[in-house]
Amino acid sequence: MLCTITLIYLKESANFEGIEIGSKGDKTTVLDVATIKRGNYAVKSFWTENIGIEKGIAKHGNLAKEDIDKAVATVIANYSKMLYDFEIADENIFIVRSSGVVMAKNTQILANKIYLATTKTLAFIDAQTEGKMLLKGCVPPEEYINSVILDIGGGNTKGGYVDVRNNDVFVFFPLSVNFGTITLTETIIKNSKQDNLSEFKAKLFGFLPTLRKQVDTMYSSNPEALDKKKVFMSGGAVWAFSKLYNGVTKESFNKFTIENVLDYGAVLKNNFKKFEDLAITDKKVETVLKTYSQKYLISGSNRLLFTLEAIPNKNN
């Protein structure tokens, strides 16, 4: 998804491929681009492979060696697939790292290994750019002025909004918080003496004031975000919530309330067997539980809740 914006200045009538190394997984997209100026392109193929490369950042600020090696192996496999199976020209293949991965101190090691294997320079997307791309890709243009978008990823939470300034120019204002689903979970696990759910929930509860303070700081940096009438949400935590609580729908946008998020969090903490039972017959639920453990889901639901509860008139 994120690499599509990278392609807007390239030649037309060709296939392009992008690999994004994200906090939770590697996302690969194959595009058939017809007319760039008119936004005429089709997604030929898309898939995600779960790596969880962000786990090491919360523990010691670095990507773990085994996670780097796994990510590199996945990138190499997909890169070769694009060259030989899809027959995409090498110059039309792009590899990027997300804003969550960029937070690591040793991300250059990842970049170096990918360059040695592919001769591709690993580009990166910072939180501000990623927020802008999310708004362009997920919010209908007619809703720009009235909306804010927030994405709860594995490594961080990011998004933003636009306002009109002098000479009717659209100006983008970013929003971000360093904690995401994976980094929050691993931070709590790091500070727990025992590896059990009870202690995890207790430690997470003690960390909640810190989360609320971070969200308050995010909004205070650009308070106009709280005046927007519509809130668009995306990211792994929202995807999991949508599939587990709201079920599968065919709509592009699915409404939910903060009460739904509260109920969802209560089930995750106190009646997780409900979802485990559903996973036996529901493939969508099974996919979510294979992607995220119960601890990750609880962390994600808290990030979602705190991001929303600071918004005035949130019940509407």
Side-chain angles (χ1 to χ4, degrees), residues 198-211:
S198 296
E199 182 169 1
F200 177 83
K201 290 192 289 187
K203 291 289 185 180
L204 179 60
F205 181 79
F207 198 75
L208 297 187
T210 300
L211 289 182

Side-chain angles (χ1 to χ4, degrees), residues 55-108:
K55 291 183 291 185
I57 294 180
K59 296 177 181 178
H60 40 67
N62 290 318
L63 303 174
K65 181 182 181 302
E66 58 268 26
D67 293 331
I68 291 176
D69 292 342
K70 189 183 297 184
V72 172
T74 302
V75 168
I76 293 172
N78 287 325
Y79 175 71
S80 297
K81 186 175 183 179
M82 295 305 106
L83 285 174
Y84 303 113
D85 293 353
F86 285 86
E87 297 183 342
I88 295 175
D90 185 67
E91 64 267 23
N92 291 348
I93 299 176
F94 301 85
I95 307 173
V96 299
R97 45 189 162 164
S98 73
S99 60
V101 175
V102 174
M103 292 162 51
K105 299 175 185 176
N106 63 339
T107 186
Q108 190 58 44

Side-chain angles (χ1 to χ4, degrees), residues 244-245 267 271-279 285:
L244 294 181
Y245 188 85
V267 175
N271 188 23
F272 192 67
K273 191 176 185 301
K274 172 183 176 180
F275 295 133
E276 292 176 324
D277 290 342
L278 283 173
V285 174

Side-chain angles (χ1 to χ4, degrees), residues 19 101 158 196 219 277 284 300 302:
I19 302 172
V101 175
K158 62 277 182 185
N196 59 64
Y219 284 128
D277 290 342
K284 299 293 184 181
N302 275 282

